[in-house]
Amino acid sequence: MRISRADRQEIIAHAREEAPNECCGYLRATDGVVDEVFRAVNERNSPYGYELDPKSLFAVNDLDDQGFQVGIYHSHPRSPAEPSQTDINLANYPGWIYWIVSLGGEEPEVRAWRIADGRVDEEPIEVD
């Protein structure tokens, strides 16, 4: 997937604003290129997990139905940008890409993952 530097910075800014809680949102992409980033509300309001608000979940499902590639992003305020077991268990949409921004290191890290049937594969990210 390709993402603009500005959209990557938007995800990082969202994570910083919500810390110490996890943030969440979604991405719309066409032909492997992120077109737009949308912030969502973390219904859990927690540093240990996220749940997209219903309006955002409906919106991302609509994008999927319209044929866009979609991704869900959330933050790990203190841990690496790798899916936790909870993230893997809650990944109910195998066609979606799950983006994680970590604030746990010296610099923020953004990584993307495809999670299907308990299998986790990293998706390469190119920043323009």
Side-chain angles (χ1 to χ4, degrees), residues 24-26 39-43 51-59:
C24 59
Y26 58 99
R39 289 185 180 202
V41 174
N42 180 357
E43 292 286 309
E51 179 181 339
L52 259 67
D53 62 279
K55 181 179 173 188
S56 295
L57 189 56
F58 286 129

Side-chain angles (χ1 to χ4, degrees), residues 11-127:
I11 294 169
I12 292 169
H14 190 196
R16 286 179 167 152
E17 289 170 28
E18 296 294 326
N21 290 333
E22 290 190 9
C23 76
C24 59
Y26 58 99
L27 312 164
R28 181 188 70 214
T30 306
D31 297 326
V33 179
V34 174
D35 300 316
E36 194 166 1
V37 172
F38 302 90
R39 289 185 180 202
V41 174
N42 180 357
E43 292 286 309
R44 288 192 58 193
N45 197 30
S46 165
Y48 306 111
Y50 75 97
E51 179 181 339
L52 259 67
D53 62 279
K55 181 179 173 188
S56 295
L57 189 56
F58 286 129
V60 76
N61 270 296
D62 284 345
L63 291 173
D64 191 17
D65 289 347
Q66 293 167 24
F68 289 101
Q69 295 165 306
V70 295
I72 300 294
Y73 75 84
H74 75 282
S75 61
H76 284 177
R78 290 186 282 283
S79 58
E82 300 171 359
S84 66
Q85 189 59 54
T86 300
D87 294 337
I88 294 167
N89 293 346
L90 295 175
N92 295 319
Y93 300 90
W96 295 4
I97 296 178
Y98 294 86
W99 296 63
I100 302 173
V101 56
S102 170
L103 301 177
E106 288 186 30
E107 292 293 322
E109 182 179 29
V110 179
R111 295 170 72 185
W113 306 87
R114 189 170 298 278
I115 304 171
D117 300 320
R119 182 181 161 135
V120 179
D121 295 301
E122 187 163 10
E123 288 285 317
I125 298 175
E126 295 177 34
V127 181

